[in-house]
Amino acid sequence: MVATDTALRPPQIEGANFLNLLIVDDDRAVREACRAVAQTLGFNPQVAESAEQAYRVLDNRGADVILLDLKLPGARGMEALHTIRKNSPEALVIVVTGYGTIQSAVQAMKDGAYDYVTKPFSLEELRLLLERVAGHLKLKTENRVLRETIKSRQGFGNIIGRAPEMEKLYRIIAKASQSSHPVLILGESGTGKELVAKSLHYTGPNRTKPFIPVDCGSLVPTLIESELFGHVRGAFTGATHPKDGLLAIAEGGTIFLDEIGELSVDLQAKLLRALQEKEIRPVGSVRRVPINVRILAATNRDLEVAVTQGTFRRELFFRLNVLTLRIPPLRERRQDIPLLVAHVLDRVGRDTGAEKTISDEALKILLSYDWPGNVRELENCLERACALSSSDDIQVRDLPTRVYSVPAEMLGVSTPGSGGILPMAELEKQTILNALAQVNGDKMLAARLLGIGKTTLYRKLKEYAQA
């Protein structure tokens, strides 16, 4: 049993709030004593008197920390530890063992337990152990946020450009990052919309909070709804465990909705309601969950046209379009191409250990090309050229044929019988169809070579079929 202490009312631990603690012990007195200590420290304690009951609690609610007695009725403690570690790998397990079975505690730690405590233990001993666990989890979270921050700042450095359009973009990012208003980021595929979104978040006041990107064009509507709003167990086929929505998980942070224009009208209505009421309802639940999150959205579509056509809700457009950032396409800032080329070649050289340069003739070709896939396509082109080049200097022959075998129309000059310069939409269509022809209709390969997402490619082909 637990040794008693004098009245114990320590202040709550910073970082322990909202941590779920599961106490698994067949001794009711031990369970209640541990529950009392955990509550004074700010944990959300739950109890179970058997392994089977513990499994049910974990399936329904989950736990961050588990206090597990190795001597349980109906199941050996080590078996329970293995099952818990398999089904809840992120949870920290503290095993409880009798004084005479210390060897089992050592084995438990080898099998993945975080720590152990021997019976009888004092409430002060338990308090110190839980304080250390809460500190460990807080540090783990901070390290994860720090890694994402560093990653983003490296990405911010990857927004290369000295063109006047880019300098203007940097100034707007600096101002918008200090606001909590929604931001609509506009730009063609491959211009770096997610990098801009990360820069807005990680240079702002909530940089230590989560940044969660969601690709609205890559999932079917039912899965996107579950991702954003969460679901309860049994809400639909395959929902074997409850799941928190990303809008709730990002508490105090940022949700980046990439390709927002791909959301179905029904989901747009649910998202609008969530933003207006600042709460969400998980799929299959009657419970409403409050949210506090900043919304950044991005699209390569003209949402004003979509509103006119009835494919995008007007109210949601106004809700998202409080601040607007437009990322210029690469063809509008050709002076930045040499800087981008140098940056990519330097990165490839660090990754491969083989330094590469580019010939003047090859650079002229890159400057002449319109880059419908923008910076992503340029990066893909250079990485391919580095892989294929047999010398330290990238030549014209190392570039993809779509780049150096550019027809006159693609350079914006008149051709016999053309009657003048082709519109950009037609040039884009020719580029996509030519790429598909070169790879024998392989859409995945064509999308990768063009530097665009597969969703964008499928949408474009559908538009061409309807034209």
Side-chain angles (χ1 to χ4, degrees):
M1 60 182 294
V2 180
T4 57
D5 287 333
T6 56
L8 184 65
R9 298 291 179 191
Q12 292 188 349
I13 308 169
E14 181 183 0
N17 288 335
F18 307 113
L19 289 179
N20 291 326
L21 170 67
L22 174 59
I23 303 161
V24 189
D25 199 298
D26 62 335
D27 189 322
R28 184 174 182 277
V30 172
R31 291 198 305 271
E32 294 307 314
C34 292
R35 187 211 293 264
V37 173
Q39 285 177 330
T40 63
L41 296 176
F43 284 89
N44 295 324
Q46 306 167 78
V47 296
E49 60 183 21
S50 67
E52 289 72 20
Q53 188 177 0
Y55 302 153
R56 290 195 294 271
V57 171
L58 291 174
D59 282 342
N60 290 325
R61 297 188 59 184
D64 301 293
V65 186
I66 301 169
L67 196 63
L68 175 66
D69 190 355
L70 288 182
K71 188 177 180 181
L72 292 171
R76 294 169 56 189
M78 295 300 293
E79 292 176 356
L81 172 62
H82 294 158
T83 301
I84 289 172
R85 291 289 299 153
K86 179 181 178 181
N87 296 333
S88 304
E90 295 297 320
L92 295 185
V93 182
I94 303 170
V95 298
V96 180
T97 182
Y99 182 77
T101 56
I102 193 69
Q103 186 62 38
S104 61
V106 175
Q107 183 61 46
M109 294 188 67
K110 290 181 180 179
D111 291 344
Y114 172 75
D115 206 340
Y116 71 92
V117 61
T118 57
K119 289 183 178 180
F121 53 85
S122 67
L123 298 185
E124 176 65 14
E125 185 179 359
L126 177 62
R127 183 183 70 83
L128 292 174
L129 179 56
L130 291 179
E131 282 182 345
R132 181 154 52 85
V133 169
H136 172 82
L137 289 173
K138 182 172 182 290
L139 181 61
K140 184 178 179 181
T141 301
E142 289 174 346
N143 285 341
R144 184 169 62 249
V145 171
L146 180 60
R147 285 195 300 271
E148 187 62 34
T149 302
I150 292 172
K151 179 181 177 182
S152 175
R153 287 176 177 169
Q154 291 172 344
F156 182 55
N158 285 336
I159 307 179
I160 306 298
R162 297 175 184 169
E165 296 88 346
M166 297 303 292
E167 295 293 344
K168 179 181 178 181
L169 178 65
Y170 300 151
R171 290 194 295 270
I172 298 175
I173 289 175
K175 292 180 180 179
S177 66
Q178 303 307 309
S179 167
S180 61
H181 295 302
V183 178
L184 184 60
I185 305 170
L186 306 177
E188 298 177 3
S189 294
T191 50
K193 295 187 286 294
E194 185 168 344
L195 284 178
V196 170
K198 285 186 174 182
S199 300
L200 285 167
H201 174 78
Y202 286 106
T203 57
N206 296 326
R207 62 180 64 90
T208 60
K209 301 295 184 180
F211 174 89
I212 302 179
V214 181
D215 186 352
C216 299
S218 65
L219 297 173
V220 297
T222 53
L223 291 180
I224 296 178
E225 183 177 5
S226 173
E227 285 289 306
L228 291 176
F229 305 112
H231 64 254
V232 297
R233 187 171 63 170
F236 50 84
T237 303
T240 57
H241 293 83
K243 180 179 181 180
D244 292 332
L246 295 178
L247 286 167
I249 293 174
E251 175 67 22
T254 301
I255 287 286
F256 172 53
L257 301 174
D258 196 11
E259 300 300 345
I260 185 71
E262 303 303 318
L263 277 184
S264 67
V265 176
D266 289 342
L267 269 179
Q268 292 173 28
K270 293 179 180 180
L271 177 61
L272 174 63
R273 188 179 305 112
L275 298 182
Q276 289 175 335
E277 299 176 1
K278 298 187 183 302
E279 63 180 18
I280 59 175
R281 183 170 64 84
V283 179
S285 174
V286 296
R287 178 177 60 94
R288 294 189 176 274
V289 179
I291 59 172
N292 172 29
V293 64
R294 186 185 192 185
I295 299 295
L296 305 179
T299 182
N300 57 17
R301 299 179 60 186
D302 189 330
L303 290 188
E304 293 190 40
V305 173
V307 168
T308 303
Q309 296 174 343
T311 58
F312 200 85
R313 295 184 65 91
R314 185 181 303 275
E315 299 89 343
L316 181 59
F317 173 72
F318 290 137
R319 174 71 63 172
L320 297 174
N321 196 31
V322 178
L323 299 173
T324 304
L325 285 177
R326 179 183 177 274
I327 308 176
L330 191 51
R331 63 181 174 274
E332 292 182 6
R333 56 182 187 107
R334 295 181 190 272
Q335 68 195 77
D336 288 334
I337 289 178
L339 292 174
L340 289 162
V341 170
H343 174 76
V344 174
L345 293 182
D346 179 65
R347 174 172 56 79
V348 172
R350 291 196 306 270
D351 292 342
T352 63
E355 294 186 5
K356 296 283 187 178
T357 56
I358 188 167
S359 68
D360 292 341
E361 292 77 12
L363 184 57
K364 288 178 182 178
I365 292 293
L366 299 184
L367 288 166
S368 300
Y369 186 56
D370 270 328
W371 301 108
N374 293 291
V375 178
R376 186 186 298 138
E377 184 185 6
L378 176 63
E379 290 179 339
N380 175 272
C381 169
L382 292 170
E383 289 170 356
R384 178 184 182 277
C386 288
L388 296 179
S389 177
S390 56
S391 66
D392 294 336
D393 205 29
I394 294 175
Q395 303 294 331
V396 174
R397 64 177 179 272
D398 301 317
L399 301 176
T401 55
R402 71 175 187 278
V403 174
Y404 71 77
S405 297
V406 183
E409 298 95 330
M410 298 301 294
L411 296 177
V413 298
S414 300
T415 57
S418 69
I421 298 175
L422 290 177
M424 287 306 304
E426 182 63 26
L427 299 182
E428 178 188 72
K429 177 180 177 180
Q430 288 187 10
T431 301
I432 291 176
L433 295 180
N434 287 340
L436 278 170
Q438 291 183 32
V439 297
N440 298 319
D442 188 331
K443 296 182 178 64
M444 295 295 290
L445 179 57
R448 188 162 65 249
L449 291 174
L450 288 169
I452 61 177
K454 63 180 185 298
T455 304
T456 301
L457 178 63
Y458 284 119
R459 189 181 72 250
K460 293 291 183 184
L461 292 175
K462 184 177 180 180
E463 292 173 359
Y464 302 153
Q466 295 172 349

